[in-house]
Every structure is written in structure tokens, then in C-alpha cells.
Amino acid sequence: MNFFVNIFLVLVFLILTGEKTIAEPNEKADQIQSKVSDSERMDKSKINTKSKSKDNKTGSLVLKNKKGLWKPMELIWEESSGAVSPEFRFAKQFQLVTKENKVILSRRVVEKGKLVLNESKEISPQLYQKWMESLFQYKIYQLPMEDVPKEQMTGVSYNYVSFVFGSTKSKFYYQLEERNLPDWKEKNSIIQIIERMKP
């Protein structure tokens, strides 16, 4: 009887140790697998980050055509005080335009009824790229083409921003007090970008 009990215990022992030895490699395999999957995840995240950064570069605003020439673009901003007394009179006209091989910024500023700035200068490609990216960030290309306001009020200036880039055209008119309105944040940001343009 003792013989059978001993054999039974030996078999149970072998089975248990056999399961343990089988289980241990699986645990190690799971650990190895988890390490591999972790490293794969890390590699994939690096690849994704790289591809995103490449997409950002390729997804950036393309300002030149296939021949390497500037795409046609014209940006005009005009703002004035309207019919006020000479000591408060001002007028600003900025025009940014592309030629085939260069970008020109023209600025004309009148303060207190006197011309204080009248110049046209070539702009560096880097500066032009920066300005355009800023303008596109505020979706200047999505603004509609507005008509000239029908009701013209005496002594009130109707200022505007006009933008043409390839087949994209947009234009909006405004009165000076509209720039302070809460829903004018986007348009006002566009005006501020233009207003800060310097060669």
C-alpha cells in the first residue's frame, strides 16, 4: 500500500514540477514578449513622431510653384480716420505683393495730416513665409468677398483688408470701432499682423 502511495506522490510531484517548469518558460516568454511589444511601441511612437514632423514640413504652406517662382499673391490693407480735423487725421495703406522672383512690401502712412512714410522694399523669403503662415493661422483665406457697404455715413471711414492668393480671394470692410468688438478677434488679429509688417 505504501508503495502505491509513494508512486502516487511521486507522480503528483512530477506533474506539479512539470507544470511549474512549463509555466516558467511561458512567464519568461510573456516577459520577453512584453519587452518586445514595449520596444515595438516605442519604435512605432518614434516612427509616428517622425512621420508627423515630416507631415508638418510637407503640410506647411506652399508659396512657390513647381518652377520655384512665387505664386501670385496680393494683400492690401487700408485704414483711415475719415473726415476729422487735421490734427487727428491719419491714413495707412500697406500692400504686400509677389513678383515672380521677389516679394515687395509698400507702406504709406499719414499722421496728423502729414505724410510720414512712403516706401517700397523687397522682403526676405523667410519673413514672407512667416507672415503668410500667421495670416493662414487666422484663416484669412476663408473669409468671404464682401461688397462695399451700401450705406455710407458722412465722416466715417470704411477700411478694408483684401487678400488674393492664386484662386483664393477674400475681402472685408470695417469701421474703426468694430475692431474692439469681441467677435472681431480673428479679423483684428489679421489687421495687427499686417500693421506690424516691416521690411
Side-chain angles (χ1 to χ4, degrees):
M1 184 78 177
N2 285 341
F3 177 74
F4 288 113
V5 171
N6 286 338
I7 288 176
F8 178 75
L9 289 174
V10 169
L11 285 173
V12 169
F13 177 76
L14 287 174
I15 290 169
L16 289 174
T17 42
E19 281 181 2
K20 190 176 179 184
T21 52
I22 291 168
E24 282 177 359
N26 283 345
E27 284 173 7
K28 286 178 183 175
D30 288 344
Q31 288 173 357
I32 292 166
Q33 183 61 37
S34 68
K35 284 180 184 176
V36 169
S37 60
D38 285 344
S39 64
E40 281 176 355
R41 267 188 246 119
M42 291 286 285
D43 289 343
K44 281 179 184 176
S45 67
K46 285 179 186 175
I47 291 165
N48 288 340
T49 309
K50 285 179 184 175
S51 66
K52 279 179 186 174
S53 64
K54 282 182 183 176
D55 287 344
N56 287 340
K57 285 180 184 175
T58 55
S60 66
L61 191 58
V62 180
L63 301 174
K64 291 190 174 183
N65 60 23
K66 290 177 182 178
K67 294 179 181 178
L69 304 174
W70 293 115
K71 290 181 178 179
M73 193 286 304
E74 183 182 56
L75 175 68
I76 301 171
W77 169 57
E78 283 193 19
E79 186 175 280
S80 66
S81 55
V84 294
S85 56
E87 63 267 25
F88 301 110
R89 200 170 294 165
F90 75 88
K92 298 173 185 177
Q93 184 188 56
F94 285 30
Q95 183 181 33
L96 185 67
V97 64
T98 56
K99 308 290 183 184
E100 287 187 343
N101 294 307
K102 56 187 174 181
V103 183
I104 306 292
L105 174 65
S106 301
R107 299 185 302 157
R108 188 173 189 276
V109 179
V110 173
E111 290 177 359
K112 296 179 182 178
K114 294 179 182 178
L115 183 65
V116 294
L117 180 67
N118 191 13
E119 66 176 17
S120 289
K121 291 192 175 179
E122 189 172 346
I123 300 302
S124 72
Q126 294 83 4
L127 199 51
Y128 175 57
Q129 180 86 30
K130 180 184 169 185
W131 289 343
M132 289 293 281
E133 284 175 358
S134 297
L135 291 167
F136 268 65
Q137 182 184 341
Y138 289 102
K139 298 180 173 60
I140 191 171
Y141 58 91
Q142 287 185 354
L143 298 172
M145 279 290 291
E146 293 180 7
D147 294 324
V148 183
K150 290 177 182 177
E151 292 182 17
Q152 298 282 337
M153 295 171 66
T154 307
V156 176
S157 66
Y158 286 88
N159 314 291
Y160 72 91
V161 172
S162 171
F163 177 71
V164 178
F165 181 66
S167 60
T168 302
K169 293 180 182 180
S170 63
K171 188 172 190 175
F172 65 89
Y173 291 86
Y174 65 96
Q175 295 174 27
L176 292 176
E177 56 270 19
E178 287 181 292
R179 288 188 63 176
N180 300 319
L181 298 175
D183 60 342
W184 258 73
K185 191 175 179 182
E186 192 174 80
K187 288 180 179 177
N188 200 37
S189 296
I190 290 168
I191 295 165
Q192 286 173 347
I193 290 165
I194 301 167
E195 198 168 13
R196 287 193 294 263
M197 288 181 176
K198 291 179 183 176

